Amino acid sequence: GKTANEIVTGIENGEIRALYLVGADPITDYPNAARWERALRKCEFVAAQDIFLSPSASLAHCVFPACSYAEKDGTMTNIEHRVQRIRQAIPPLEPTMPDWCILEAVAGEMGSSMGYYHVQDVFQEITETIPLYKGLSFDTLPEDGVILDPKHIPRRRDPEKSLFSFAPVRTREEPSTLAERYPFELMVTSSMYHFGSITTRSANILKLCPHGYAELNKKDAEDHGLSDGDVIKIESPVGSIETPVRVVERFPQGLIFVPVHFPELGVYRLFDENTNVCRAKISKKVSEENGVRP
C-alpha cells in the first residue's frame, strides 16, 4: 500500500482519483492539514466510513455511518498479542452498521461479495490466512483472551545479539533567518486526558480538558506580556491559529506545546511536513474594536 504522503501526492498529480477513508480523518490527524483539505476537495470521489462526521468526512461525496465499539461484536489484538472478544453492549443507533457489514455491502453492490454473513466469518478468514491465528475459534475465545504463540511472531532483532541497536539521528538544518523570524519551537502531541479526537465528544472528559490551548514557559509569557488565559496567535511559515494560553513553569523556554485532539483548533494547519515539531512565533490577540485583549 501507499503511505499517507504518497496518497496525498497521488491525488494532487491525478494518479489517485478515488479515496475510501475508514475511521481516518487526515485533516485533523495528519500534518499539513491545508494540503489534505485541498486534495480531498480535488479528488473525484471520496467515501468516508466513520462514527462521527469528521472534518474530512464532511468533504466526502458519500458517508457510511459506522457503529462504535460498544455497538458491535468482534475481536481485538493488543500489543501483548492477546486476542480478545469485543461484545456488543448496546444496540446500534440507526442507521449505523458494523464496519465489516458496510464493507460487505459495498463489495456486494460492486458485484464482488466477500461472503461475510456473520462477524464469525471475518474471524474465520483471519485464522485461515494469517498463520499467527491458526487454530483459534471465535466462539471459544476465553474471557481473558488468548496470547498468540510467540514462535510465530516475527522478530525485529536477532536474539543472539544485543537487546538494543543505535543509529545516528539526522537533524534537519534550517536557515538561520527562519529561527530569527520564528523563535519558538512548536510541539504537538497528546494531552493527558484525550485520545485522538473521539474523546472530545465525551462530556465527562471535556470537564477536565474542554478545549484546545497552548502551554508556554512563564518567562516567555512575561516577555510577550501574556497572562494565563490570554488568547494568542501562533504563526508558522505556512499558517496560523488562535488559542488560549496556559502559563507553566515546568516548560523549557523557547517551546510551545499544543495538544492535537481538537479539530476546531486545526493545529496541523501550522505544519507542512510529516513532523510534530515546527518553527513558530506568537503574539497577543487583541480585540478589533477597542484594542484590548478578550
Side-chain angles (χ1 to χ4, degrees), residues 182-189 213-218 220-221 224 226 232-236 241 243-248 250-260 265 267 270-271 276-283:
Y182 299 93
F184 288 92
E185 277 197 312
L186 171 66
M187 180 181 71
V188 295
T189 186
Y213 58 88
E215 287 191 346
L216 192 66
N217 175 272
K218 183 178 180 181
D220 288 331
H224 287 76
L226 297 171
I232 62 171
K233 183 177 184 180
I234 305 176
E235 297 178 80
S236 77
I241 62 171
T243 184
V245 66
R246 292 182 180 179
V247 179
V248 293
R250 59 186 174 86
F251 244 56
Q253 284 186 251
L255 184 66
I256 309 168
F257 165 72
V258 179
V260 300
L265 186 57
V267 66
L270 300 175
F271 293 79
N276 65 346
V277 178
C278 75
R279 304 300 306 185
K281 63 181 179 180
I282 61 173
S283 58

Side-chain angles (χ1 to χ4, degrees), residues 122-162:
V122 181
F123 190 76
Q124 180 66 29
E125 183 172 327
I126 292 174
T127 64
E128 293 173 353
T129 56
I130 304 177
L132 199 58
Y133 291 79
K134 185 177 180 179
L136 297 184
S137 169
F138 182 88
D139 295 319
T140 60
L141 281 175
E143 283 296 320
D144 59 348
V146 172
I147 296 181
L148 298 173
D149 188 344
K151 291 186 298 184
H152 300 295
I153 298 175
R155 295 184 178 273
R156 295 189 177 183
R157 63 176 178 84
D158 185 342
E160 300 297 326
K161 296 182 180 180
S162 170

Side-chain angles (χ1 to χ4, degrees), residues 152-200:
H152 300 295
I153 298 175
R155 295 184 178 273
R156 295 189 177 183
R157 63 176 178 84
D158 185 342
E160 300 297 326
K161 296 182 180 180
S162 170
L163 289 176
F164 302 99
S165 60
F166 296 91
V169 176
R170 295 180 179 179
T171 58
R172 183 178 60 183
E173 294 186 5
E174 297 176 333
S176 58
T177 54
L178 183 64
E180 293 173 0
R181 290 185 291 122
Y182 299 93
F184 288 92
E185 277 197 312
L186 171 66
M187 180 181 71
V188 295
T189 186
S190 299
S191 73
M192 178 184 298
Y193 302 108
H194 286 286
F195 179 81
S197 61
I198 189 172
T199 52
T200 62

